[in-house]
Amino acid sequence: SELHEETYFSPEQFTAWIDRILSQPSLRSMQQFDTTMQSHGWQLMKQEENTWWYYDGPLRVMVSSKDNKTVSLVMAWFANGSPTAACLDLYHQYIQAGREIWGEPDDEVDEAEHAAEGLAISTIWTTNQDSTITLMQSTDKLYTLIDVAAQS
């Protein structure tokens, strides 16, 4: 029997995935976002009051709302329960790809001090629509948080 080979998003798939989220005109409404994303093949797993859980292929995705109407946060796990070295390697590849698309990060948490404490390291970009993209790596996990700017 073949060993299960973990498949990860390539750096280009990572940035394209995030850009697709941010380009949704329906990002305002949880309901419209749900309809749009299910049409892209997302599967709704669980619906709590203001947090909806999905699978998008191998990705586990959480979408939440502060006011129960509009999307305020989208979180996705690009690696979960994976070897730390693989997560770190991907983290660096994703940062490189992010720089090419979103420019220099606003903030990077120093790796040396955090690796020593076993805490998450992170890189944050702000988009021209004032949404923020945070890429975090913590031991066996690599995940991203997209804080969606409230649209006036």
Side-chain angles (χ1 to χ4, degrees), residues 1 10 52 83 89 108 126 132 137 145 147 150:
S1 66
S10 70
W52 299 7
D89 188 40
E108 291 190 77
T126 302
T132 60
Q137 189 269 325
L145 296 96
D147 282 286

Side-chain angles (χ1 to χ4, degrees), residues 3 24 37 46 71 74 80 83 93 101 103 112 119 125 129 143:
L3 269 177
Q24 293 307 319
M37 288 321 190
K46 191 169 68 176
V71 174
V74 178
N80 199 351
Q93 291 181 37
I101 307 282
L119 298 172
W125 288 270
Q129 287 93 24
Y143 52 99

Side-chain angles (χ1 to χ4, degrees), residues 87-103:
C87 291
L88 256 178
D89 188 40
L90 273 181
Y91 177 76
H92 291 297
Q93 291 181 37
Y94 286 6
I95 290 171
Q96 196 48 53
R99 277 202 168 97
E100 288 167 26
I101 307 282
W102 308 306

Side-chain angles (χ1 to χ4, degrees), residues 39-131:
S39 76
H40 282 299
W42 285 28
Q43 287 175 290
L44 181 63
M45 303 306 290
K46 191 169 68 176
Q47 228 168 328
E48 289 160 2
E49 193 179 352
N50 54 0
T51 306
W52 299 7
W53 295 86
Y54 298 87
Y55 274 110
D56 177 19
L59 292 193
R60 195 160 63 103
V61 186
M62 184 197 88
V63 180
S64 63
S65 167
K66 289 192 188 92
D67 60 8
N68 240 330
K69 294 184 202 61
T70 54
V71 174
S72 54
L73 178 71
V74 178
M75 192 170 170
W77 285 261
F78 286 89
N80 199 351
S82 305
T84 302
C87 291
L88 256 178
D89 188 40
L90 273 181
Y91 177 76
H92 291 297
Q93 291 181 37
Y94 286 6
I95 290 171
Q96 196 48 53
R99 277 202 168 97
E100 288 167 26
I101 307 282
W102 308 306
E104 282 303 305
D106 299 340
D107 193 26
E108 291 190 77
V109 169
D110 179 55
E111 211 170 303
E113 107 194 38
H114 277 71
E117 299 166 28
L119 298 172
I121 53 176
S122 61
T123 300
I124 301 170
W125 288 270
T126 302
T127 68
N128 45 17
Q129 287 93 24
D130 287 330
S131 292

